Amino acid sequence: MSIQYILSGFAVGLLVGLTGVGGGSLMTPLLTLMFGVTPSVAVGTDLAFASITKSAGTITHRSRGTVHWDIVGRLCLGALPAALVATLALQYFGPLNAAIGKVIRYTIAVSVLLTVVAILFRGKMLAWVNASPSHQLHGRSLFAATVASGALLGTLVTISSIGAGAIGATLLVMLYPRLTPAEVAGTDIAYAVPLTAIAAVGHWWLGSIDWTLLLTLLVGSLPGITLGAWAARAVPERVLRGLLAMTLAGVAVKLLH
């Protein structure tokens, strides 16, 4: 079982390093479906996994100059307070019993479906934005939209551990269409580090992190995300998007049953 955890961590880390997408969208469903981890523990463990794994990815992307720190700051301005509020809301609505676990499971499924839509239509959305310069935001409007996007992501990620990658990357493409795919991946990974760290602390407070499982996953994910970040420009993006979309669609269907 430990070997399976390590291989799963490596595969997810590699994919996140390549695209900035697939961390929570893949790891949380893998933990619940393949390894039988309860949804609440899967979410908490995945958040801690993401914060450490993406720290390694950020270092690699930073060395390649593919992180826009001004955008990272704007996203965090909305995401970090939202993560704190979402954690308090989880605590207020009671312990993570079976009913709460069911809510989290359905939240994960809906988030995965949103991720599939974001991946499939990302290219068309980018083409529409580039063809309509008047619809692009600038100045204060762009700043406010980025902060609001961060708040949405902070809430979604804290509840389900999903959204920081695919949905975050899609929002970056829409708001900042001139970013290259590598810059989208690097910026997306960098802002997710403090967000997932705060959310993970909240879940640690709620008692929903399996530390042994976390350490085993990290053995595979740290070399995986480092390798993926270095190879980000070599693998065709269309191939990765198609494979990821099909995988996530299957995961979502299983979670809803």
Side-chain angles (χ1 to χ4, degrees):
M1 185 65 72
S2 294
I3 296 298
Q4 294 177 1
Y5 286 146
I6 292 172
L7 292 177
S8 297
F10 178 83
V12 171
L14 181 66
L15 188 59
V16 173
L18 284 167
T19 66
V21 173
S25 304
L26 285 178
M27 184 53 71
T28 298
L30 276 175
L31 292 177
T32 55
L33 293 176
M34 184 179 294
F35 301 120
V37 178
T38 60
S40 58
V41 173
V43 169
T45 304
D46 182 43
L47 286 168
F49 164 84
S51 65
I52 299 172
T53 300
K54 291 187 176 184
S55 294
T58 299
I59 293 172
T60 305
H61 275 284
R62 180 179 180 276
S63 69
R64 304 193 69 184
T66 52
V67 178
H68 284 256
W69 294 104
D70 55 335
I71 301 175
V72 170
R74 296 171 189 174
L75 288 170
C76 288
L77 191 61
L80 303 189
L84 291 173
V85 172
T87 299
L88 293 174
L90 286 174
Q91 176 67 12
Y92 176 79
F93 287 113
L96 298 176
N97 52 28
I100 297 298
K102 187 176 182 180
V103 171
I104 291 177
R105 184 182 179 88
Y106 287 148
T107 301
I108 292 172
V110 172
S111 300
V112 168
L113 289 175
L114 288 174
T115 299
V116 172
V117 173
I119 292 171
L120 291 177
F121 293 97
R122 183 172 165 183
K124 292 184 178 179
M125 288 189 293
L126 178 58
W128 177 81
V129 170
N130 285 330
S132 309
S134 61
H135 293 149
Q136 296 182 27
L137 299 177
H138 303 279
R140 292 183 179 179
S141 297
L142 180 59
F143 181 91
T146 307
V147 174
S149 296
L152 172 64
L153 290 165
T155 303
L156 182 60
V157 169
T158 303
I159 293 174
S160 69
S161 84
I162 296 171
I167 299 174
T170 300
L171 289 171
L172 282 175
V173 169
M174 292 295 293
L175 295 173
Y176 302 91
R178 291 176 178 81
L179 294 181
T180 66
E183 289 171 336
V184 169
T187 303
D188 192 32
I189 289 172
Y191 99 86
V193 172
L195 168 58
T196 52
I198 286 182
V201 169
H203 278 270
W204 168 73
W205 177 49
L206 296 172
S208 53
I209 294 180
D210 185 328
W211 295 103
T212 302
L213 172 60
L214 171 62
L215 291 175
T216 308
L217 292 171
L218 290 175
V219 171
S221 71
L222 293 179
I225 195 169
T226 302
L227 178 61
W230 277 110
R233 298 176 182 174
V235 178
E237 185 182 357
R238 180 177 297 180
V239 174
L240 288 174
R241 280 208 318 269
L243 178 61
L244 183 59
M246 288 188 296
T247 303
L248 294 181
V251 167
V253 170
K254 290 184 178 180
L255 282 171
L256 288 171
H257 283 78

